[in-house]
Amino acid sequence: KEKVEITKAQRALMKVIVDAYNRHKIPQDVAKKLLQDQYSAEENFLLLTEMATSQVQVLVEFTKNIPGFLSLNHEDQIALLKGSAVEAMFLRSAQVFSQKMPNGHTEVLEERIRKSGISEEFMTPMFNFYKSIGELHMIEEEQALLTAITILTPDRPFVKDQQAVERLQEPMLEVLRKLCVLQHPQEPQYFARLLGRLTELRTLNHYHAEMLTSWRMNDHKFTPLLCEIWDVQ
Ligand SMILES: O=C1N(Cc2ccc(-c3nnn[nH]3)cc2)c2ccc(Br)cc2C12CCN(S(=O)(=O)c1cccs1)CC2
């Protein structure tokens, strides 16, 4: 039986990541607005856009606190942020949505999202992902590390120094692996299940890109920050 122990240095790394993850939250008034009275599809979409804009701001702040990130080549920093923005947003949304929302709110939010002009073909994979995250009952350390690991994916488009990104991602993967063994001793496959979610996340990128095109066709407006990070002209 492997004796798994998290070293002091690994505990310190985990603390930095978790503090950054918890420090940056989107303003609850924005999320609460979604739960208030009935909105039209246009108003719903505007709310989700406002929320997504906050999420991107939170993501950038969180990323800046990942040890070593700001020492990467600047173009690579941008490439990692743009390459992971949708995945990190959906991962965080699923984590927050499945945790923070008291019962009944999930249905209300589900209704809002359904009514915001997001096509059914995107809703299904989105909610499947949300449910698969909820079933994992991740502790905040696992959530924060998994988000950092998503951002530090070396093979994003246009990343020049992939080795430098791997050197940052590998220690995170090792801490997460140990954490999973310690937190879920009866479930040796738990770490593999977490990484499997990252594969599922990548498929959401594809759906999201399709959605952007259809939203553009229906003349949906996005904020400058979302246009920048999602490569919308
Ligand atoms: O908005 C979402 N929500 C609700 C949501 C998100 C975050 C918080 C929250 N609270 N505190 N911190 N975070 C609460 C509710 C949610 C929940 C689960 C999954 Br899976 C995904 C989502 C999206 C993500 C963005 N898209 S989007 O398609 O990119 C789009 C952008 C513009 C218009 S539509 C819609 C679905």
Side-chain angles (χ1 to χ4, degrees), residues 129-192:
F129 175 72
Y130 153 62
K131 288 188 185 72
S132 66
I133 288 290
E135 282 157 10
L136 287 168
H137 302 295
M138 279 188 263
I139 60 173
E140 63 177 9
E141 286 80 357
E142 290 164 344
Q143 294 186 10
L145 283 166
L146 200 62
T147 306
I149 286 161
T150 304
I151 294 161
L152 295 171
T153 300
D155 63 341
R156 295 294 185 198
F158 315 115
V159 170
K160 292 194 287 289
D161 188 352
Q162 293 198 9
Q163 280 72 21
V165 183
E166 273 165 26
R167 280 195 294 274
L168 296 183
Q169 189 195 44
E170 264 149 25
M172 307 270 180
L173 282 162
E174 181 52 15
V175 179
L176 183 60
R177 185 189 67 78
K178 286 184 172 181
L179 194 63
C180 290
V181 170
L182 293 170
Q183 284 290 330
H184 311 268
Q186 333 79 337
E187 211 187 332
Q189 290 316 316
Y190 186 81
F191 178 56

Side-chain angles (χ1 to χ4, degrees), residues 31-151:
K32 269 200 200 79
K33 267 202 275 186
L34 262 178
L35 296 169
Q36 264 147 27
D37 17 85
Q38 198 61 24
Y39 288 116
S40 72
E42 287 70 28
E43 284 163 333
N44 270 344
F45 189 85
L46 221 57
L47 271 172
L48 293 183
T49 303
E50 192 182 328
M51 181 109 81
T53 304
S54 301
Q55 297 246 21
V56 171
Q57 287 157 343
V58 162
L59 168 72
V60 172
E61 284 315 303
F62 171 67
T63 305
K64 282 160 63 179
N65 288 286
I66 296 175
F69 182 83
L70 294 176
S71 315
L72 291 170
N73 164 298
H74 282 216
E75 282 82 27
D76 284 356
Q77 291 179 30
I78 302 297
L80 291 176
L81 266 172
K82 289 183 69 149
S84 65
V86 171
E87 291 177 25
M89 180 174 70
F90 275 74
L91 180 56
R92 186 186 195 100
S93 299
Q95 287 166 344
V96 170
F97 194 51
S98 55
Q99 235 160 24
K100 285 281 163 38
M101 299 289 154
N103 304 354
H105 282 182
T106 311
E107 285 69 32
V108 170
L109 221 84
E110 201 165 311
E111 175 53 30
R112 294 272 175 284
I113 296 173
R114 282 191 198 288
K115 243 194 71 178
S116 63
I118 294 181
S119 72
E120 203 47 42
E121 73 185 293
F122 187 35
M123 293 307 294
T124 314
M126 186 194 296
F127 277 97
N128 289 343
F129 175 72
Y130 153 62
K131 288 188 185 72
S132 66
I133 288 290
E135 282 157 10
L136 287 168
H137 302 295
M138 279 188 263
I139 60 173
E140 63 177 9
E141 286 80 357
E142 290 164 344
Q143 294 186 10
L145 283 166
L146 200 62
T147 306
I149 286 161
T150 304
I151 294 161

